[in-house]
Amino acid sequence: MENRHYRIVGLPGDCIGPEVYRAAAQVLDCLAGVQGFTYELDEQRIGGAAVDAAGEPLPQTTIDACRKADAALLGAVGGPQWDDRPAEQRPELGLLKIRSALNLFCNLRPVVLHPALQHFSPLKPDRLVNVDLMIVRELTSGSYFGKKWRNENEAEDVCRYTREEIERVTRAACRIAMQRDRRLTLVDKANVLETSRLWRIVVRDVVEAEFPKLDLEFLYVDAAAMHLLTRPGDFDVMLTENMFGDILSDEASMLSGSLGLLPSASINEQRFGLYEPIHGSAPDIAGQGIANPYAMLLSTAMMLRHSLDDGEAADALEAGVYSCWEDGVLTRDLDPDGLRTQEVTDAVCERLVR
Ligand code: IPM
Ligand code: MN
């Protein structure tokens, strides 16, 4: 293949963030050698680390670096040492601001259950047949970003969506569904909410006009929460607004039995993406070298596929991870005699060069 050169911003973040981030950096280095691409990794601050160094959770320098890059890899943000800070110095705000500043409206959260890990799921095996779903969550609008205010006796978080905001994330979800099983489920609360009624209209319009081959169904969010536990194998692509997507993706992630396994991507119109594990910064195990790096490594694979257009390298990395799972290479969250972060990372690298 021709010269492949990738510009990546590294955002280690807080607590176990830097530990899993270092695993990704090591694997990327190894993969570059094997696959023959080159890359720059420009490390920047976000979250509590940025609050400590610069007094704010998302310094302008971090945004500027992202604007010059193809993708960003993020560990995790947050920790108890910043809990009593004023709202504008909360690490999580760094995350919300970077999503908004870079227009990362499309959040992909795939939930796949690898056979070698199925026994970790809290669900009975017969419910887990064919679980392979993609949650597409709108990430830069809705009640997260609507007008907000509070006084002693009242508070308000406005949930507002425009047709355009719904259209662009719907198109992204439809394109993904067309490459999968061609089934799209819109999750909403159209029996109660006006925003949901608009979602239904706009999603139907887009599907009918541009993706007529897609099979579209509508599902209320309360029912969806239930069906994720009773028939998770029936879903292909699940499209939903910001808050519902936040809640349902945590629920869906537990199908796999560990928060440490699932990656995510947050992408904009130019295909720049922020890639991060769905787990948090796990302050309780930070600094011990035992964090599960797999969600971070799978996020790196998503970055290669979705922002860097290198499906081959993504496949190779995922194959390395799956081969480790098949050989029982696991951290302590899944196996009491499990390995350390560094040992798991080395095992993945060994499989890449084989
Ligand atoms: C997530 C997280 C964030 C969200 C928080 C940390 C702001 O829960 O990425 O799902 O609610 O979006
Ligand atoms: Mn969440």
Side-chain angles (χ1 to χ4, degrees):
M1 244 202 226
E2 68 305 334
N3 258 341
R4 287 173 297 161
H5 183 75
Y6 308 139
R7 293 163 308 171
I8 303 164
V9 169
L11 303 168
D14 311 318
C15 299
I16 65 162
E19 301 175 34
V20 294
Y21 169 81
R22 274 196 299 278
Q26 180 182 330
V27 166
L28 198 58
D29 197 48
C30 172
L31 199 59
V34 182
Q35 293 278 323
F37 62 79
T38 54
Y39 68 99
E40 295 148 54
L41 196 53
D42 176 9
E43 283 186 19
Q44 298 288 337
R45 292 199 178 93
I46 191 169
V51 170
D52 289 349
E56 50 176 334
L58 184 67
Q60 187 62 39
T61 41
T62 299
I63 301 175
D64 292 342
C66 288
R67 293 222 162 96
K68 284 186 238 142
D70 305 311
L73 266 180
L74 170 71
V77 297
Q81 60 267 56
W82 300 284
D83 273 354
D84 51 4
R85 294 299 179 104
E88 62 284 0
Q89 289 189 6
R90 301 272 314 197
E92 296 79 12
L93 188 63
L95 209 49
L96 296 178
K97 281 190 156 171
I98 201 172
R99 290 172 182 171
S100 181
L102 300 171
N103 225 344
L104 308 174
F105 64 89
C106 177
N107 182 223
L108 308 180
R109 299 189 167 184
V111 179
V112 185
L113 266 161
H114 193 276
L117 301 182
Q118 280 205 359
H119 59 285
F120 293 114
S121 175
L123 292 198
K124 295 195 185 79
D126 60 312
R127 307 255 171 177
L128 295 173
V129 181
N130 291 327
V131 174
D132 178 359
L133 64 107
M134 177 71 89
I135 297 181
V136 180
R137 167 188 174 195
E138 198 292 324
L139 201 60
T140 51
S141 188
S143 56
Y144 273 63
F145 294 94
K147 192 177 121 220
K148 293 172 181 290
W149 61 271
R150 171 167 53 106
N151 66 27
E152 246 170 75
N153 302 313
E154 281 176 88
E156 192 174 40
D157 298 276
V158 174
C159 182
R160 176 173 179 273
Y161 270 103
T162 65
R163 174 175 276 270
E164 196 195 348
E165 286 168 342
I166 302 169
E167 275 173 1
R168 62 184 183 178
V169 73
T170 300
R171 288 198 182 96
C174 289
R175 278 185 221 114
I176 290 166
M178 288 304 289
Q179 307 206 332
R180 295 173 48 106
D181 211 22
R182 300 192 171 180
R183 288 181 296 120
L184 181 69
T185 304
L186 174 65
V187 176
D188 62 27
K189 190 71 186 173
N191 47 351
V192 178
L193 300 178
E194 286 300 338
T195 41
S196 288
R197 293 182 188 129
L198 182 65
W199 271 82
R200 282 203 181 194
I201 293 166
V202 174
V203 171
R204 179 177 282 129
D205 285 353
V206 170
V207 169
E208 280 177 3
E210 299 171 36
F211 302 91
K213 293 209 175 102
L214 268 190
D215 176 2
L216 172 65
E217 71 164 349
F218 300 115
L219 192 60
Y220 295 139
V221 62
D222 48 353
M226 186 174 72
H227 293 316
L228 269 175
L229 301 182
T230 54
R231 51 176 192 99
D234 287 353
F235 296 106
D236 182 21
V237 175
M238 224 182 219
L239 169 64
T240 190
E241 65 93 46
N242 205 342
M243 175 75 90
F244 297 157
D246 179 48
I247 299 167
L248 290 181
S249 60
D250 264 30
E251 185 193 2
S253 76
M254 261 301 137
L255 295 172
S256 78
S258 169
L259 265 180
L261 299 172
L262 296 182
S264 80
S266 307
I267 305 174
N268 69 16
E269 212 82 73
Q270 290 75 41
R271 286 185 79 180
F272 174 91
L274 173 70
Y275 297 83
E276 58 176 318
I278 72 148
H279 61 68
S281 64
D284 53 320
I285 59 159
Q288 298 177 40
I290 58 170
N292 184 338
Y294 283 125
M296 186 78 218
L297 297 181
L298 292 173
S299 301
T300 308
M302 285 190 92
M303 172 182 79
L304 288 159
R305 179 171 295 118
H306 294 283
S307 283
L308 306 177
D309 206 16
D310 195 338
E312 207 177 302
D315 287 346
L317 175 45
E318 282 168 358
V321 166
Y322 299 153
S323 151
C324 280
W325 289 352
E326 279 148 23
D327 296 343
V329 177
L330 300 171
T331 38
R332 282 179 213 171
D333 48 321
L334 292 173
D335 173 2
D337 306 317
L339 302 169
R340 303 179 62 76
T341 311
Q342 186 62 56
E343 294 170 305
V344 169
T345 310
D346 292 342
V348 173
C349 285
E350 267 166 39
R351 283 162 178 78
L352 295 178
V353 297
R354 245 184 230 160

mmCIF file of all heavy atoms in Angstrom, residues 116-117 119-120 294 321-331 334-335 337-339 344 347 351:
data_model
loop_
_atom_site.group_PDB
_atom_site.id
_atom_site.type_symbol
_atom_site.label_atom_id
_atom_site.label_comp_id
_atom_site.label_asym_id
_atom_site.label_seq_id
_atom_site.Cartn_x
_atom_site.Cartn_y
_atom_site.Cartn_z
ATOM 1 N N ALA A 116 -15.778 -16.722 23.618
ATOM 2 C CA ALA A 116 -14.844 -17.075 24.695
ATOM 3 C C ALA A 116 -15.171 -16.346 25.999
ATOM 4 O O ALA A 116 -14.706 -16.748 27.067
ATOM 5 C CB ALA A 116 -13.412 -16.746 24.267
ATOM 6 N N LEU A 117 -15.963 -15.288 25.925
ATOM 7 C CA LEU A 117 -16.250 -14.511 27.140
ATOM 8 C C LEU A 117 -17.716 -14.585 27.560
ATOM 9 O O LEU A 117 -18.128 -13.944 28.534
ATOM 10 C CB LEU A 117 -15.864 -13.039 26.917
ATOM 11 C CG LEU A 117 -14.400 -12.775 26.561
ATOM 12 C CD1 LEU A 117 -14.150 -11.282 26.421
ATOM 13 C CD2 LEU A 117 -13.462 -13.345 27.623
ATOM 14 N N HIS A 119 -19.481 -16.618 29.123
ATOM 15 C CA HIS A 119 -19.829 -17.089 30.480
ATOM 16 C C HIS A 119 -19.694 -15.990 31.528
ATOM 17 O O HIS A 119 -20.115 -16.175 32.662
ATOM 18 C CB HIS A 119 -19.013 -18.324 30.850
ATOM 19 C CG HIS A 119 -17.534 -18.087 30.825
ATOM 20 N ND1 HIS A 119 -16.807 -17.986 29.661
ATOM 21 C CD2 HIS A 119 -16.653 -17.910 31.828
ATOM 22 C CE1 HIS A 119 -15.545 -17.770 29.948
ATOM 23 N NE2 HIS A 119 -15.422 -17.706 31.257
ATOM 24 N N PHE A 120 -19.125 -14.835 31.156
ATOM 25 C CA PHE A 120 -19.076 -13.718 32.111
ATOM 26 C C PHE A 120 -20.362 -12.903 32.117
ATOM 27 O O PHE A 120 -20.559 -12.059 32.986
ATOM 28 C CB PHE A 120 -17.909 -12.782 31.774
ATOM 29 C CG PHE A 120 -16.571 -13.402 31.989
ATOM 30 C CD1 PHE A 120 -15.719 -13.659 30.917
ATOM 31 C CD2 PHE A 120 -16.149 -13.743 33.269
ATOM 32 C CE1 PHE A 120 -14.483 -14.237 31.121
ATOM 33 C CE2 PHE A 120 -14.902 -14.322 33.478
ATOM 34 C CZ PHE A 120 -14.078 -14.569 32.403
ATOM 35 N N TYR A 294 -8.518 -3.855 27.341
ATOM 36 C CA TYR A 294 -9.148 -4.312 26.089
ATOM 37 C C TYR A 294 -10.089 -3.277 25.474
ATOM 38 O O TYR A 294 -10.101 -3.086 24.258
ATOM 39 C CB TYR A 294 -9.888 -5.632 26.303
ATOM 40 C CG TYR A 294 -8.959 -6.827 26.368
ATOM 41 C CD1 TYR A 294 -8.974 -7.686 27.463
ATOM 42 C CD2 TYR A 294 -8.071 -7.085 25.335
ATOM 43 C CE1 TYR A 294 -8.124 -8.779 27.525
ATOM 44 C CE2 TYR A 294 -7.207 -8.170 25.394
ATOM 45 C CZ TYR A 294 -7.241 -9.022 26.483
ATOM 46 O OH TYR A 294 -6.396 -10.096 26.545
ATOM 47 N N VAL A 321 -6.657 -9.245 19.740
ATOM 48 C CA VAL A 321 -7.427 -9.209 20.986
ATOM 49 C C VAL A 321 -8.247 -10.495 21.144
ATOM 50 O O VAL A 321 -8.227 -11.142 22.201
ATOM 51 C CB VAL A 321 -8.355 -7.966 21.012
ATOM 52 C CG1 VAL A 321 -9.393 -8.073 22.115
ATOM 53 C CG2 VAL A 321 -7.522 -6.696 21.184
ATOM 54 N N TYR A 322 -8.939 -10.895 20.070
ATOM 55 C CA TYR A 322 -9.780 -12.097 20.176
ATOM 56 C C TYR A 322 -8.941 -13.337 20.454
ATOM 57 O O TYR A 322 -9.346 -14.219 21.220
ATOM 58 C CB TYR A 322 -10.608 -12.301 18.895
ATOM 59 C CG TYR A 322 -11.560 -11.165 18.587
ATOM 60 C CD1 TYR A 322 -11.966 -10.890 17.284
ATOM 61 C CD2 TYR A 322 -12.054 -10.344 19.615
ATOM 62 C CE1 TYR A 322 -12.836 -9.836 17.000
ATOM 63 C CE2 TYR A 322 -12.919 -9.286 19.326
ATOM 64 C CZ TYR A 322 -13.304 -9.032 18.022
ATOM 65 O OH TYR A 322 -14.148 -8.001 17.748
ATOM 66 N N SER A 323 -7.771 -13.389 19.854
ATOM 67 C CA SER A 323 -6.903 -14.537 20.089
ATOM 68 C C SER A 323 -6.477 -14.589 21.562
ATOM 69 O O SER A 323 -6.412 -15.662 22.167
ATOM 70 C CB SER A 323 -5.709 -14.461 19.131
ATOM 71 O OG SER A 323 -4.579 -15.070 19.681
ATOM 72 N N CYS A 324 -6.227 -13.440 22.154
ATOM 73 C CA CYS A 324 -5.909 -13.397 23.589
ATOM 74 C C CYS A 324 -7.093 -13.914 24.414
ATOM 75 O O CYS A 324 -6.918 -14.673 25.373
ATOM 76 C CB CYS A 324 -5.578 -11.979 24.029
ATOM 77 S SG CYS A 324 -3.908 -11.472 23.620
ATOM 78 N N TRP A 325 -8.291 -13.473 24.045
ATOM 79 C CA TRP A 325 -9.478 -13.916 24.795
ATOM 80 C C TRP A 325 -9.625 -15.434 24.709
ATOM 81 O O TRP A 325 -9.910 -16.102 25.693
ATOM 82 C CB TRP A 325 -10.749 -13.242 24.237
ATOM 83 C CG TRP A 325 -10.837 -11.792 24.553
ATOM 84 C CD1 TRP A 325 -10.004 -11.087 25.384
ATOM 85 C CD2 TRP A 325 -11.800 -10.851 24.051
ATOM 86 N NE1 TRP A 325 -10.397 -9.767 25.419
ATOM 87 C CE2 TRP A 325 -11.491 -9.599 24.617
ATOM 88 C CE3 TRP A 325 -12.883 -10.941 23.175
ATOM 89 C CZ2 TRP A 325 -12.239 -8.443 24.351
ATOM 90 C CZ3 TRP A 325 -13.627 -9.804 22.904
ATOM 91 C CH2 TRP A 325 -13.312 -8.561 23.481
ATOM 92 N N GLU A 326 -9.401 -15.964 23.502
ATOM 93 C CA GLU A 326 -9.528 -17.416 23.325
ATOM 94 C C GLU A 326 -8.513 -18.171 24.178
ATOM 95 O O GLU A 326 -8.775 -19.277 24.633
ATOM 96 C CB GLU A 326 -9.367 -17.779 21.839
ATOM 97 C CG GLU A 326 -10.657 -17.542 21.066
ATOM 98 C CD GLU A 326 -10.429 -17.116 19.616
ATOM 99 O OE1 GLU A 326 -9.340 -17.399 19.065
ATOM 100 O OE2 GLU A 326 -11.356 -16.498 19.038
ATOM 101 N N ASP A 327 -7.348 -17.549 24.392
ATOM 102 C CA ASP A 327 -6.319 -18.187 25.215
ATOM 103 C C ASP A 327 -6.448 -17.829 26.691
ATOM 104 O O ASP A 327 -5.547 -18.116 27.488
ATOM 105 C CB ASP A 327 -4.926 -17.779 24.715
ATOM 106 C CG ASP A 327 -4.667 -18.274 23.306
ATOM 107 O OD1 ASP A 327 -5.413 -19.180 22.862
ATOM 108 O OD2 ASP A 327 -3.751 -17.758 22.641
ATOM 109 N N GLY A 328 -7.527 -17.157 27.067
ATOM 110 C CA GLY A 328 -7.741 -16.829 28.482
ATOM 111 C C GLY A 328 -6.812 -15.759 29.029
ATOM 112 O O GLY A 328 -6.537 -15.726 30.225
ATOM 113 N N VAL A 329 -6.304 -14.889 28.159
ATOM 114 C CA VAL A 329 -5.439 -13.790 28.606
ATOM 115 C C VAL A 329 -6.344 -12.659 29.116
ATOM 116 O O VAL A 329 -6.864 -11.865 28.336
ATOM 117 C CB VAL A 329 -4.550 -13.286 27.443
ATOM 118 C CG1 VAL A 329 -3.703 -12.100 27.894
ATOM 119 C CG2 VAL A 329 -3.673 -14.404 26.919
ATOM 120 N N LEU A 330 -6.542 -12.609 30.442
ATOM 121 C CA LEU A 330 -7.516 -11.685 31.026
ATOM 122 C C LEU A 330 -6.947 -10.970 32.233
ATOM 123 O O LEU A 330 -6.022 -11.464 32.875
ATOM 124 C CB LEU A 330 -8.766 -12.469 31.469
ATOM 125 C CG LEU A 330 -9.523 -13.228 30.371
ATOM 126 C CD1 LEU A 330 -10.581 -14.134 30.982
ATOM 127 C CD2 LEU A 330 -10.145 -12.263 29.364
ATOM 128 N N THR A 331 -7.520 -9.803 32.526
ATOM 129 C CA THR A 331 -7.112 -9.067 33.729
ATOM 130 C C THR A 331 -7.985 -9.502 34.915
ATOM 131 O O THR A 331 -8.911 -10.296 34.766
ATOM 132 C CB THR A 331 -7.265 -7.546 33.502
ATOM 133 O OG1 THR A 331 -8.437 -7.313 32.747
ATOM 134 C CG2 THR A 331 -6.055 -6.973 32.804
ATOM 135 N N LEU A 334 -11.905 -9.966 35.458
ATOM 136 C CA LEU A 334 -12.595 -11.141 34.926
ATOM 137 C C LEU A 334 -12.050 -12.454 35.485
ATOM 138 O O LEU A 334 -12.754 -13.461 35.481
ATOM 139 C CB LEU A 334 -12.483 -11.156 33.392
ATOM 140 C CG LEU A 334 -13.258 -10.038 32.680
ATOM 141 C CD1 LEU A 334 -12.957 -10.038 31.191
ATOM 142 C CD2 LEU A 334 -14.754 -10.184 32.918
ATOM 143 N N ASP A 335 -10.807 -12.454 35.923
ATOM 144 C CA ASP A 335 -10.181 -13.697 36.364
ATOM 145 C C ASP A 335 -9.387 -13.405 37.641
ATOM 146 O O ASP A 335 -8.454 -12.601 37.618
ATOM 147 C CB ASP A 335 -9.248 -14.186 35.239
ATOM 148 C CG ASP A 335 -8.426 -15.388 35.654
ATOM 149 O OD1 ASP A 335 -8.588 -15.882 36.800
ATOM 150 O OD2 ASP A 335 -7.601 -15.836 34.822
ATOM 151 N N ASP A 337 -7.097 -14.884 39.068
ATOM 152 C CA ASP A 337 -5.654 -15.066 38.884
ATOM 153 C C ASP A 337 -5.159 -14.299 37.663
ATOM 154 O O ASP A 337 -4.144 -14.658 37.062
ATOM 155 C CB ASP A 337 -5.314 -16.550 38.667
ATOM 156 C CG ASP A 337 -5.868 -17.420 39.780
ATOM 157 O OD1 ASP A 337 -5.749 -17.002 40.952
ATOM 158 O OD2 ASP A 337 -6.455 -18.484 39.476
ATOM 159 N N GLY A 338 -5.907 -13.277 37.288
ATOM 160 C CA GLY A 338 -5.636 -12.594 36.028
ATOM 161 C C GLY A 338 -4.305 -11.870 35.973
ATOM 162 O O GLY A 338 -3.596 -11.737 36.970
ATOM 163 N N LEU A 339 -3.980 -11.399 34.780
ATOM 164 C CA LEU A 339 -2.698 -10.762 34.497
ATOM 165 C C LEU A 339 -2.759 -9.260 34.728
ATOM 166 O O LEU A 339 -3.828 -8.678 34.904
ATOM 167 C CB LEU A 339 -2.313 -11.039 33.040
ATOM 168 C CG LEU A 339 -2.219 -12.515 32.667
ATOM 169 C CD1 LEU A 339 -2.102 -12.667 31.153
ATOM 170 C CD2 LEU A 339 -1.030 -13.156 33.369
ATOM 171 N N VAL A 344 -1.009 -8.187 29.639
ATOM 172 C CA VAL A 344 -2.031 -8.339 28.597
ATOM 173 C C VAL A 344 -1.599 -7.590 27.328
ATOM 174 O O VAL A 344 -1.712 -8.098 26.211
ATOM 175 C CB VAL A 344 -3.401 -7.828 29.102
ATOM 176 C CG1 VAL A 344 -4.403 -7.736 27.958
ATOM 177 C CG2 VAL A 344 -3.936 -8.743 30.204
ATOM 178 N N ALA A 347 0.966 -9.467 25.497
ATOM 179 C CA ALA A 347 0.386 -10.648 24.842
ATOM 180 C C ALA A 347 -0.287 -10.262 23.524
ATOM 181 O O ALA A 347 -0.199 -10.983 22.527
ATOM 182 C CB ALA A 347 -0.611 -11.337 25.778
ATOM 183 N N ARG A 351 0.953 -11.362 19.522
ATOM 184 C CA ARG A 351 0.086 -11.956 18.493
ATOM 185 C C ARG A 351 0.071 -11.126 17.210
ATOM 186 O O ARG A 351 -0.188 -11.655 16.139
ATOM 187 C CB ARG A 351 -1.332 -12.135 19.036
ATOM 188 C CG ARG A 351 -1.401 -13.345 19.967
ATOM 189 C CD ARG A 351 -2.626 -13.296 20.841
ATOM 190 N NE ARG A 351 -2.697 -14.489 21.694
ATOM 191 C CZ ARG A 351 -1.973 -14.680 22.800
ATOM 192 N NH1 ARG A 351 -1.099 -13.757 23.185
ATOM 193 N NH2 ARG A 351 -2.110 -15.775 23.514
#
